[in-house]
């Protein structure tokens, strides 16, 4: 649990007044709370119905003192210097390049597929040119690309599709890749070099003391009141605020007027083992349908922690539970668009973050989105504060 939880109160019942109420203390809500308080001197109440700050990026030290990500591994990677500089006000970093192996044909091979993967699966010494020709010879020529299966089969061929993608996708989505839109696998990461880094972004690192410590630092401001374990619907009418920033599910906000927006969920099984290491990489993917989990994460690789024990998490996809991945089907996005129209018409509410915009975003994208929203608010505020004459002069 976050150490700073002790300083969080529940909002007072006697006419507490704020400029902003922010629902959701993940990246979207916390960036906006920090900016509004520090940048514009606003009084902010930020709430989360979970018992902690940090949203899905929340990490904590378990009973054995191992740093664990409660909602699965969160690896920071970005090409945005602006996002990195902003977050660097609240944390130092440890350099970290993420690597993933996949269990295929009884071996642990690099994922994304690269030169080493091909060498291990097919033997022999592939050169880069030979690998390009090898994949091209297997890629199926399809007249049109509609589905996720089409994307993969037309890039690396059916055999690698079946080994790496079909089972993983079926487990992840509960749907066959032939039933999923091509956008799910818009680009098949197959490399013909030996680069085995999972991400290729220019900036890859982890917050030195974890995400929760970083969030603690962001929200540590006299103008910010944090109330965890508090749902939006529980905010008493006596709490007054001028504007609402809502980072929760947009369909819930509008009482599911057009029906629920479907999500895929995950069950995280956290296990601590009485051994210093469990697997040879931070994450091992299990594309096989003989086991229910899609991947296992071992946190010590991510955190750099030295400990005689190790902590791992199994991820088991599920149709029930917390909303994690919007199900990418055209009818769902159509339903979202109807909610979005309602949102656009509500001038006293700003919708920000992955749940309010029904999109899978990486952390850096959500930070960028929140900074953009803040810039818009700051511009509006500045205009409102300018004397009448100068507005006329500028018009
Ligand atoms: C398994 C998994 C792994 C991921 N790994 C990575 C990764 O490696 N790298 C990366 O960049 N991104 C990763 N992500 C994405 C990352 O989690 C998101 O980008 C980020 O969490 C989005 O922040 P957010 O503030 O929009 O949403 P969230 O973090 O979900 O925060 C929203 C918060 O709002 C609260 N809330 C909702 N409704 C209400 C309500 N009515 N009242 C009060 N509180 C409410 C929720 O409890 C939640 O805490 C991963 C996501 C998942 C699911």
């Amino acid at each position: 649990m976050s150490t700073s939880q002790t300083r969080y109160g529940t909002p007072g019942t006697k006419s507490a007044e704020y400029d902003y109420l922010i629902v959701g203390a993940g990246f979207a809500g916390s960036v906006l709370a920090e900016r509004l308080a520090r940048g514009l001197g606003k009084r902010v109440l930020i709430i989360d119905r979970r018992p902690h700050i940090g949203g899905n990026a929340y990490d904590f030290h378990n009973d054995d003192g191992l740093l664990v990500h409660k909602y699965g591994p969160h690896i920071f990677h970005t090409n945005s210097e602006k996002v990195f500089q902003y977050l660097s006000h609240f944390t130092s970093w440890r350099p970290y390049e993420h690597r993933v192996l996949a269990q295929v044909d009884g071996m642990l091979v690099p994922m994304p597929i690269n030169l080493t993967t091909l060498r291990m699966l097919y033997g022999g010494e592939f050169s880069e040119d030979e690998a390009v020709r090898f994949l091209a010879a297997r890629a199926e020529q399809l007249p049109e690309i509609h589905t996720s299966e089409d994307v993969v089969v037309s890039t690396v061929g059916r055999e690698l599709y079946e080994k790496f993608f079909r089972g993983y996708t079926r487990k992840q989505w509960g749907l066959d890749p032939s039933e999923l839109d091509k956008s799910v696998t818009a680009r098949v990461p197959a490399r013909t070099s030996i680069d085995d880094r999972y991400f290729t972004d220019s900036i890859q690192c982890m917050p030195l003391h974890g995400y929760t410590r970083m969030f603690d630092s962001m929200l540590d401001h006299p103008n910010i009141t944090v109330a965890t374990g508090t749902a939006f619907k529980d905010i008493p009418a006596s709490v007054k605020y001028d504007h609402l920033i809502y980072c929760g599910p947009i369909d819930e906000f509008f009482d599911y007027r057009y029906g629920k927006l479907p999500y895929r969920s995950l069950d995280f099984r956290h296990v601590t083992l009485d051994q210093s290491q469990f697997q040879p990489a931070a994450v091992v993917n299990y594309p096989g349908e003989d086991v229910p989990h899609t991947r296992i994460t071992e946190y010590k690789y991510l955190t750099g922690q030295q400990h005689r024990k190790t902590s791992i998490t199994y991820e088991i996809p599920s149709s029930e539970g917390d909303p994690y991945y919007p199900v990418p089907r055209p009818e769902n996005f159509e339903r979202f668009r109807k909610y979005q129209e309602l949102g656009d018409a509500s001038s006293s509410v700003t919708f920000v973050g992955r749940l309010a915009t029904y999109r899978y975003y990486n952390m850096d994208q959500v930070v960028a989105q929140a900074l953009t929203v803040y810039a818009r608010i700051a511009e509006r505020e500045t205009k409102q504060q300018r004397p009448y004459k100068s507005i006329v002069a500028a018009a």
Side-chain angles (χ1 to χ4, degrees):
M1 207 62 36
S2 156
T3 48
S4 61
Q5 211 191 20
T6 48
R7 74 180 163 81
Y8 305 155
T10 41
T13 45
K14 282 189 287 170
S15 69
E17 295 214 356
Y18 301 95
D19 297 308
Y20 285 85
L21 169 63
I22 300 183
V23 176
F27 270 102
S30 299
V31 168
L32 276 158
E34 186 283 328
R35 284 291 68 222
L36 289 166
R38 258 190 209 93
L40 292 177
K42 299 293 179 189
R43 290 156 306 160
V44 178
L45 169 62
I46 179 168
I47 63 167
D48 204 298
R49 61 182 161 203
R50 287 169 166 166
H52 56 72
I53 56 171
N56 278 350
Y58 171 70
D59 53 16
F60 66 104
H61 287 92
N62 69 10
D63 290 345
D64 288 292
L66 284 152
L67 187 57
V68 170
H69 295 190
K70 185 170 165 89
Y71 305 100
H74 277 69
I75 292 108
F76 186 76
H77 57 100
T78 188
N79 287 317
S80 167
E81 189 63 37
K82 182 179 166 189
V83 166
F84 179 64
Q85 289 304 335
Y86 170 72
L87 292 177
S88 300
H89 288 110
F90 313 105
T91 188
S92 305
W93 301 93
R94 75 177 288 264
Y96 173 73
E97 288 184 330
H98 192 50
R99 288 182 169 78
V100 174
L101 299 173
Q103 186 169 70
V104 170
D105 292 353
M107 290 181 279
L108 292 178
V109 298
M111 176 73 196
I113 295 166
N114 69 8
L115 209 52
T116 314
T117 316
L118 295 178
R119 285 171 181 164
M120 288 176 78
L121 289 177
Y122 297 103
E125 277 301 311
F126 280 90
S127 67
E128 297 209 15
D129 287 347
E130 281 164 347
V132 172
R133 283 199 295 276
F134 178 88
L135 293 177
R138 276 162 177 75
E140 289 182 13
Q141 304 293 318
L142 301 177
E144 282 183 69
I145 308 290
H146 292 294
T147 68
S148 190
E149 175 182 311
D150 295 344
V151 175
V152 183
V153 164
S154 65
T155 319
V156 295
R158 195 154 293 273
E159 189 178 322
L160 288 168
Y161 159 73
E162 285 172 4
K163 284 186 198 296
F164 286 89
F165 294 95
R166 190 176 60 188
Y168 195 94
T169 309
R170 279 183 182 166
K171 290 195 288 187
Q172 178 80 348
W173 293 102
L175 292 167
D176 192 80
S178 61
E179 298 170 277
L180 276 168
D181 189 76
K182 62 181 177 192
S183 61
V184 180
T185 326
R187 194 174 54 88
V188 182
R191 302 182 188 141
T192 49
S193 66
I194 53 163
D195 185 357
D196 62 349
R197 293 170 310 152
Y198 197 70
F199 302 111
T200 51
D201 301 47
S202 56
I203 301 169
Q204 306 188 29
C205 48
M206 294 291 288
L208 186 59
H209 301 293
Y211 289 97
T212 305
R213 278 276 287 276
M214 181 178 78
F215 279 94
D216 272 341
S217 166
M218 284 169 96
L219 296 175
D220 184 15
H221 189 278
N223 279 13
I224 301 178
T225 304
V226 185
T228 50
T230 306
F232 179 47
K233 65 176 172 42
D234 299 332
I235 293 291
S238 55
V239 175
K240 307 284 182 220
Y241 52 89
D242 292 339
H243 192 89
L244 175 65
I245 292 179
Y246 186 83
C247 311
I250 194 167
D251 52 348
E252 184 183 328
F253 184 85
F254 290 110
D255 288 328
Y256 305 106
R257 195 176 304 181
Y258 302 123
K260 268 191 119 157
L261 289 170
Y263 276 93
R264 191 73 174 153
S265 191
L266 288 168
D267 183 13
F268 299 104
R269 302 232 172 116
H270 302 294
V271 180
T272 299
L273 302 168
D274 207 355
Q275 61 198 66
S276 63
Q277 192 197 337
F278 172 71
Q279 61 190 23
V283 168
V284 175
N285 282 0
Y286 288 84
E289 291 179 85
D290 52 330
V291 292
H293 48 275
T294 44
R295 58 180 184 171
I296 301 177
T297 300
E298 184 166 8
Y299 292 103
K300 283 164 77 179
Y301 289 94
L302 275 53
T303 61
Q305 206 176 353
Q306 301 291 320
H307 200 288
R308 67 176 181 82
K309 294 189 181 182
T310 195
S311 199
I312 60 171
T313 298
Y314 292 79
E315 275 174 52
I316 301 152
S318 153
S319 52
E320 306 286 314
D322 280 357
Y324 291 123
Y325 301 107
V327 179
R329 292 174 75 85
E331 61 270 30
N332 300 342
F333 291 123
E334 195 44 51
R335 186 174 292 176
F336 166 68
R337 261 191 292 279
K338 289 165 81 178
Y339 282 116
Q340 195 179 25
E341 277 170 21
L342 291 180
D344 289 345
S346 327
S347 60
S348 58
V349 191
T350 305
F351 294 88
V352 195
R354 65 178 193 104
L355 295 165
T357 51
Y358 196 58
R359 284 276 298 275
Y360 181 87
Y361 284 122
N362 283 322
M363 297 181 282
D364 65 321
Q365 294 172 302
V366 170
V367 173
Q369 189 191 50
L371 290 175
T372 303
V373 170
Y374 170 72
R376 231 183 292 139
I377 293 173
E379 195 189 332
R380 199 179 55 211
E381 295 269 342
T382 316
K383 270 192 192 143
Q384 277 167 3
Q385 280 165 13
R386 277 158 72 193
Y388 176 70
K389 264 190 183 164
S390 74
I391 294 174
V392 172

